[in-house]
Amino acid sequence: MKIAVFASGSGSNFQVIAEQFPVEFVFSDHRDAYVLDRAKTLGVKAYAFELKEFENKVAYEQALIDLLDKHEIDLVCLAGYMKIVGPTLLTAYEGKMINIHPTYLPEFPGAHGIEDAWQAGVDQSGVTIHWVDSGVDTGKIIKQVRVPRFEKDTRESFEERIHDAEYQLYTEVLEILGIKRRTASDCQVAQ
Ligand code: GRF
C-alpha cells in the first residue's frame, strides 16, 4: 500500500505520518509551504504546484491524478490540504482518499473548526478522520476521538491538545487501514 500526503501549510501531521510510515511523496498546493522543508529534512519526495498556474481546477486536478497514477498511490492522506477536492480528482480517487478534521464531526465542519469550537465555548471538541466525498467534511467517518477543553485552557493550549490528538489518530487510522510502519531499512534510505 503506497501512500501520498497532501498538505497546504505547516505539515506537522505530515511529519508525524512520515516519521512512522513510508510516504511515497508529499504534495503541496503552495510552493512556499513549510511542509516542503519538512519533507526535505525527512528525505521524502515532494511536489508543489498551484491552482493559479493552471487554466482551471480540472486541469490542476488532472495533474494531481497523473502524479498519483505515476506513483501508483493506493491511499491519499489529506492533512491540512485546504482545498475542496473537486469532481475530477474525486472521481478518480474516491474510496482511496481520507481527510483529518480538527473537530468531532459533524460538529464544526469547515476551514476554522478549532476556532469555531473555541468561540462556541464547548467543553469538549475532538478530531475526526473520514473518507473524502463531495461535501465539506461530510464523508463516512473512519474514527474520531473526543478532546476536552479545560477551564484553565487558553486558545493555544486547547489547540495544542487537539493537534496532539490528531497525530495519534492519524497513526491509528493508518494502521487500521493496513498501512505498514516504516522498517529500519526505510529509515536508512531516508537518511
Ligand atoms: C490540522 O489541524 C488539520 O486538521 C487541519 O489543518 C491543520 C493542519 O496542520 N485541516 P498541519 O499542516 O498538519 O500542521
Side-chain angles (χ1 to χ4, degrees), residues 57-120:
K57 194 158 175 181
V58 172
Y60 162 79
E61 290 201 331
Q62 189 55 55
L64 282 174
I65 293 169
D66 293 347
L67 200 54
L68 292 167
D69 287 351
K70 184 177 127 202
H71 286 273
E72 300 180 318
I73 296 300
D74 300 295
L75 185 71
V76 184
C77 302
L78 306 186
Y81 177 65
M82 301 307 284
K83 275 193 173 50
I84 292 170
V85 175
T88 308
L89 181 53
L90 195 62
T91 302
Y93 275 84
E94 188 156 22
K96 294 182 172 184
M97 190 178 286
I98 63 176
N99 179 46
I100 189 160
H101 185 74
T103 73
Y104 200 87
L105 290 171
E107 298 169 8
F108 308 108
H112 309 289
I114 299 176
E115 179 64 18
D116 293 346
W118 174 260
Q119 292 297 344

Side-chain angles (χ1 to χ4, degrees), residues 1-185:
M1 290 268 276
K2 288 187 178 181
I3 67 172
V5 177
F6 284 13
S8 298
S10 161
S12 63
N13 278 279
F14 156 72
Q15 176 155 349
V16 171
I17 294 169
E19 281 170 350
Q20 299 186 52
F21 297 87
V23 173
E24 188 67 17
F25 70 84
V26 62
F27 166 74
S28 181
D29 58 326
H30 291 289
R31 287 184 181 274
D32 59 355
Y34 184 58
V35 67
L36 300 170
D37 296 336
R38 293 188 197 261
K40 201 168 184 190
T41 307
L42 287 161
V44 176
K45 205 175 292 151
Y47 297 96
F49 49 78
E50 305 198 5
L51 175 57
K52 65 181 183 217
E53 297 162 12
F54 293 80
E55 206 175 312
N56 52 39
K57 194 158 175 181
V58 172
Y60 162 79
E61 290 201 331
Q62 189 55 55
L64 282 174
I65 293 169
D66 293 347
L67 200 54
L68 292 167
D69 287 351
K70 184 177 127 202
H71 286 273
E72 300 180 318
I73 296 300
D74 300 295
L75 185 71
V76 184
C77 302
L78 306 186
Y81 177 65
M82 301 307 284
K83 275 193 173 50
I84 292 170
V85 175
T88 308
L89 181 53
L90 195 62
T91 302
Y93 275 84
E94 188 156 22
K96 294 182 172 184
M97 190 178 286
I98 63 176
N99 179 46
I100 189 160
H101 185 74
T103 73
Y104 200 87
L105 290 171
E107 298 169 8
F108 308 108
H112 309 289
I114 299 176
E115 179 64 18
D116 293 346
W118 174 260
Q119 292 297 344
V122 294
D123 58 12
Q124 58 176 358
S125 186
V127 173
T128 304
I129 295 182
H130 62 91
W131 294 103
V132 175
D133 69 6
S134 58
V136 176
D137 303 323
T138 52
K140 190 169 184 292
I141 291 168
I142 302 169
K143 194 163 187 199
Q144 53 190 167
V145 65
R146 278 291 183 189
V147 177
R149 169 180 170 169
F150 299 124
E151 237 164 67
K152 62 172 177 11
D153 266 336
T154 59
R155 170 74 171 71
E156 288 67 35
S157 62
F158 177 60
E159 177 158 353
E160 202 180 311
R161 190 174 309 110
I162 287 173
H163 288 313
D164 286 344
E166 289 193 296
Y167 307 148
Q168 202 178 324
L169 193 66
Y170 229 134
T171 311
E172 281 174 29
V173 164
L174 291 178
E175 285 207 311
I176 289 169
L177 296 177
I179 309 298
K180 298 270 174 292
R181 282 178 180 270
R182 288 172 70 139
T183 60
S185 60

